[in-house]
Amino acid sequence: MKQKKYDQKSALIGTFARVADDYNQSVYLAQVSAEAMIDRLKLMITTPDTILDIGCGTGIFAQKLQQHYPQALIIGLDICHNMLENTVMTQPLSLVANACFVPVKSDYFDLITINLGLYWGDFEPIIAECSRLLKVNGLLLFSTLGPDTLKEVRQAYHRHYLIDMHHLGDQLLQLGFTDPVMETEQLQFEYHNKQLLQREYQALGLQHLIQLNDTIENQSTVTFEMIYGHAWRKLPPVQQDQITIPLSSIRKKSEYGF
């Protein structure tokens, strides 16, 4: 089992290393979802001083975060060093690390963002690590792909990683977050030729999750199911549920008259 996980990680790093140079020109979807996430942040009352952008790639979303929060310290994290070398961030502060084991102290960030980076590993350990890294009342904001992605051209997909928004919301509650808000959107893209679709498919690394069928030869319009979610890190359970009652206020049973 350990060897299998290592191979999957290595394959993922290799995939992104190969597409890093052309990544910015190949992933229109990442640009669209980045804009949608910024639009959601504009509706929230939060002014973070410290931000972690997990799976930042070449910094497509981190750059927009810089523009929206110019005063904030923004760290872009990615598992692939080649991606970070091609960053578009104007003030890059980057970290090569696994999202499940981030070498930063607990309770450090006010905001953690993940743009199209959740379907690369088990949801639970990544979000548990976000809970550790966030300050109390810190915000987690993410976008990911749902199970209807590429439904027109796929033969099969990995159900363990592309899961619906209701399951994602339930897991957020179980992992120490409160007030989860989940939204889904069906985006239809039209490609002029199959090479453009293949470029995006490869750049997003979807070959590790979705097996395409032969209809891609003639299909120009495909669907990406986008899931957007956010939730707040709540107080640790021991603090949230603990109630202090002075001994002097506890009356004896005989005092109640029953």
Side-chain angles (χ1 to χ4, degrees):
M1 181 63 69
K2 290 184 179 179
Q3 183 64 38
K4 182 178 180 181
K5 288 184 178 180
Y6 175 80
D7 290 343
Q8 182 182 18
K9 174 183 173 183
S10 299
L12 187 61
I13 294 174
T15 293
F16 286 120
R18 287 189 293 272
V19 302
D21 291 342
D22 299 319
Y23 185 80
N24 294 326
Q25 292 75 40
S26 303
V27 283
Y28 179 66
L29 183 65
Q31 305 275 2
V32 171
S33 58
E35 289 288 351
M37 290 174 69
I38 287 294
D39 288 342
R40 283 160 174 77
L41 281 173
K42 290 177 181 178
L43 300 176
M44 299 178 192
I45 303 175
T46 180
T47 308
D49 293 321
T50 50
I51 302 174
L52 177 66
D53 186 29
I54 291 179
C56 66
T58 58
I60 289 174
F61 186 53
Q63 183 184 45
K64 296 182 183 300
L65 287 169
Q66 284 183 330
Q67 296 168 354
H68 191 58
Y69 299 115
Q71 84 294 341
L73 169 67
I74 301 173
I75 298 176
L77 179 147
D78 203 276
I79 199 171
C80 179
H81 182 265
N82 299 71
M83 283 288 200
L84 297 173
E85 285 187 332
N86 287 273
T87 183
V88 295
M89 295 176 64
T90 55
Q91 297 177 348
L93 183 56
S94 57
L95 182 63
V96 180
N98 188 325
C100 298
F101 308 101
V102 181
V104 177
K105 67 179 183 179
S106 301
D107 307 311
Y108 186 79
F109 295 102
D110 300 300
L111 170 64
I112 293 179
T113 60
I114 312 174
N115 183 26
L116 295 178
L118 275 176
Y119 50 82
W120 296 124
D122 291 332
F123 184 83
E124 183 173 342
I126 296 176
I127 300 304
E129 183 71 341
C130 290
S131 179
R132 180 187 72 82
L133 292 166
L134 278 170
K135 298 176 183 177
V136 172
N137 296 321
L139 174 64
L140 171 66
L141 173 71
F142 64 86
S143 67
T144 190
L145 296 175
D148 277 346
T149 296
L150 297 181
K151 59 185 179 181
E152 298 91 347
V153 295
R154 74 180 184 214
Q155 179 175 333
Y157 72 98
H158 203 314
R159 295 176 183 272
H160 180 68
Y161 295 113
L162 298 183
I163 55 180
D164 68 47
M165 68 174 183
H166 302 293
H167 287 107
L168 293 176
D170 291 342
Q171 290 186 47
L172 284 168
L173 291 172
Q174 295 171 13
L175 293 168
F177 288 86
T178 190
D179 299 326
V181 176
M182 309 296 298
E183 304 171 74
T184 184
E185 182 179 15
Q186 301 276 330
L187 298 180
Q188 287 197 324
F189 290 172
E190 183 173 351
Y191 295 90
H192 297 300
N193 56 65
K194 73 170 186 177
Q195 284 76 25
L196 292 175
L197 173 56
Q198 285 279 14
R199 281 180 60 186
E200 183 127 30
Y201 173 77
Q202 296 287 338
L204 291 170
L206 294 180
Q207 66 270 34
H208 297 284
L209 303 176
I210 298 175
Q211 181 182 356
L212 300 182
N213 58 33
D214 294 337
T215 61
I216 190 175
E217 295 289 337
N218 304 312
Q219 188 74 35
S220 61
T221 302
V222 297
T223 298
F224 289 93
E225 182 185 5
M226 293 299 306
I227 297 176
Y228 299 99
H230 72 266
W232 304 85
R233 185 200 166 197
K234 63 184 179 182
L235 289 170
V238 65
Q239 297 182 30
Q240 186 183 49
D241 299 332
Q242 185 175 8
I243 301 175
T244 302
I245 303 176
L247 288 174
S248 59
S249 67
I250 302 177
R251 297 157 61 182
K252 296 179 180 179
K253 181 177 180 180
S254 60
E255 295 179 60
Y256 288 95
F258 56 84

